[in-house]
Protein backbone atom coordinates (compact mmCIF):
# COMPACT_ATOMS: atom_id res chain seq x y z
CA UNK A 1 0.00 0.00 0.00
CA UNK A 2 1.46 3.41 -0.90
CA UNK A 3 2.41 5.73 1.96
CA UNK A 4 -0.17 8.39 1.02
CA UNK A 5 -3.04 6.06 0.15
CA UNK A 6 -6.58 7.15 1.02
CA UNK A 7 -7.23 3.64 2.24
CA UNK A 8 -7.40 3.54 6.03
CA UNK A 9 -4.63 1.44 7.57
CA UNK A 10 -5.13 -0.25 10.93
CA UNK A 11 -3.50 1.33 13.98
CA UNK A 12 -0.88 -0.77 15.74
CA UNK A 13 -1.98 -2.19 19.08
CA UNK A 14 0.44 -2.32 21.98
CA UNK A 15 -0.20 -4.33 25.10
CA UNK A 16 1.20 -5.03 28.50
CA UNK A 17 0.39 -7.39 31.32
CA UNK A 18 -1.66 -6.14 34.25
CA UNK A 19 1.04 -7.35 36.63
CA UNK A 20 3.73 -5.29 34.93
CA UNK A 21 1.47 -2.23 35.00
CA UNK A 22 0.79 -2.76 38.72
CA UNK A 23 4.54 -2.99 39.42
CA UNK A 24 4.92 0.33 37.63
CA UNK A 25 2.42 1.91 40.03
CA UNK A 26 -0.74 1.83 37.88
CA UNK A 27 -3.94 1.11 39.80
CA UNK A 28 -6.29 -0.98 37.68
CA UNK A 29 -9.96 -0.67 38.63
CA UNK A 30 -13.31 -1.87 37.27
CA UNK A 31 -15.39 0.35 35.00
CA UNK A 32 -16.71 3.59 36.45
CA UNK A 33 -20.45 3.53 37.10
CA UNK A 34 -20.97 7.01 38.50
CA UNK A 35 -19.56 10.05 40.17
CA UNK A 36 -20.89 12.30 42.92
CA UNK A 37 -18.71 15.24 43.83
CA UNK A 38 -15.23 13.84 44.38
CA UNK A 39 -16.41 10.25 44.92
CA UNK A 40 -16.12 7.78 42.05
CA UNK A 41 -18.17 4.56 42.17
CA UNK A 42 -16.89 1.51 40.29
CA UNK A 43 -18.78 -1.43 38.76
CA UNK A 44 -17.94 -3.65 41.74
CA UNK A 45 -19.49 -1.15 44.17
CA UNK A 46 -16.19 0.13 45.57
CA UNK A 47 -15.64 3.86 45.81
CA UNK A 48 -12.62 6.14 45.74
CA UNK A 49 -11.84 9.85 45.90
CA UNK A 50 -8.76 10.17 43.69
CA UNK A 51 -7.06 13.49 43.00
CA UNK A 52 -6.91 12.68 39.30
CA UNK A 53 -8.69 10.27 36.98
CA UNK A 54 -7.71 9.81 33.36
CA UNK A 55 -10.48 8.31 31.27
CA UNK A 56 -8.96 6.46 28.34
CA UNK A 57 -11.36 3.97 26.82
CA UNK A 58 -11.08 1.33 24.15
CA UNK A 59 -13.33 1.09 21.14
CA UNK A 60 -16.45 2.68 22.60
CA UNK A 61 -16.65 6.06 24.35
CA UNK A 62 -17.57 4.80 27.84
CA UNK A 63 -18.35 8.31 29.07
CA UNK A 64 -22.06 7.75 29.66
CA UNK A 65 -21.54 7.94 33.45
CA UNK A 66 -20.24 11.51 33.22
CA UNK A 67 -23.05 13.99 33.97
CA UNK A 68 -24.24 15.79 30.83
CA UNK A 69 -23.16 19.29 32.01
CA UNK A 70 -19.61 18.01 32.59
CA UNK A 71 -19.51 16.54 29.07
CA UNK A 72 -20.79 19.72 27.44
CA UNK A 73 -19.24 22.47 29.57
CA UNK A 74 -15.53 21.74 29.24
CA UNK A 75 -13.09 24.53 30.03
CA UNK A 76 -10.20 23.25 27.85
CA UNK A 77 -8.79 20.31 25.89
CA UNK A 78 -8.90 16.98 27.82
CA UNK A 79 -10.77 18.55 30.75
CA UNK A 80 -14.31 17.82 31.81
CA UNK A 81 -16.57 19.89 34.00
CA UNK A 82 -15.54 17.62 36.91
CA UNK A 83 -12.40 18.78 38.73
CA UNK A 84 -9.58 16.27 38.34
CA UNK A 85 -11.26 14.23 35.59
CA UNK A 86 -9.24 14.21 32.39
CA UNK A 87 -10.05 12.43 29.12
CA UNK A 88 -7.52 11.03 26.65
CA UNK A 89 -8.15 9.45 23.28
CA UNK A 90 -11.61 10.82 22.59
CA UNK A 91 -11.90 13.54 19.91
CA UNK A 92 -14.90 15.20 21.55
CA UNK A 93 -12.70 15.99 24.58
CA UNK A 94 -9.32 16.33 22.90
CA UNK A 95 -9.37 17.09 19.24
CA UNK A 96 -9.06 15.66 15.79
CA UNK A 97 -6.91 12.55 15.80
CA UNK A 98 -7.13 12.01 19.56
CA UNK A 99 -8.52 8.55 18.91
CA UNK A 100 -5.38 7.37 17.13
CA UNK A 101 -2.02 6.33 18.52
CA UNK A 102 -0.46 9.05 16.42
CA UNK A 103 -2.68 11.71 18.02
CA UNK A 104 -3.36 10.64 21.60
CA UNK A 105 0.09 11.84 22.68
CA UNK A 106 -1.24 15.42 22.51
CA UNK A 107 -3.95 14.52 25.01
CA UNK A 108 -1.44 12.75 27.27
CA UNK A 109 0.94 15.73 27.18
CA UNK A 110 -1.88 18.17 27.93
CA UNK A 111 -3.11 16.05 30.86
CA UNK A 112 0.40 15.75 32.29
CA UNK A 113 0.78 19.54 32.13
CA UNK A 114 -2.60 20.07 33.88
CA UNK A 115 -1.61 17.70 36.68
CA UNK A 116 1.92 19.10 37.10
CA UNK A 117 0.79 22.76 37.09
CA UNK A 118 -2.30 22.57 39.27
CA UNK A 119 -2.27 24.19 42.70
Amino acid sequence: MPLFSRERRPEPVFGDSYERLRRAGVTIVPAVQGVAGAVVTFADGTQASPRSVILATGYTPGDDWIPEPARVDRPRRTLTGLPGLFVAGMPQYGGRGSDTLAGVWKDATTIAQHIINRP
Side-chain angles (χ1 to χ4, degrees):
M1 178 182 328
L3 179 61
F4 296 107
S5 169
R6 290 180 188 252
E7 186 177 335
R8 188 176 172 114
R9 293 187 285 181
E11 292 286 329
V13 176
F14 301 96
D16 211 335
S17 74
Y18 283 152
E19 186 53 41
R20 188 170 174 191
L21 291 170
R22 283 186 185 99
R23 283 195 309 265
V26 174
T27 302
I28 299 169
V29 297
V32 173
Q33 292 296 307
V35 63
V39 178
V40 177
T41 303
F42 300 101
D44 65 357
T46 60
Q47 295 182 325
S49 296
R51 284 198 55 194
S52 301
V53 174
I54 301 171
L55 173 64
T57 66
Y59 296 103
T60 58
D63 66 344
D64 55 336
W65 58 271
I66 299 175
E68 184 66 25
R71 282 190 266 162
V72 175
D73 186 25
R74 297 181 325 275
R76 288 181 287 177
R77 178 186 183 98
T78 71
L79 296 178
T80 66
L82 299 172
L85 176 64
F86 307 96
V87 180
M90 297 172 67
Q92 62 268 39
Y93 295 93
R96 187 172 174 197
S98 287
D99 56 346
T100 68
L101 289 175
V104 73
W105 70 270
K106 291 178 186 175
D107 290 353
T109 301
T110 301
I111 290 168
Q113 289 300 317
H114 287 307
I115 291 171
I116 289 168
N117 294 323
R118 73 175 163 203

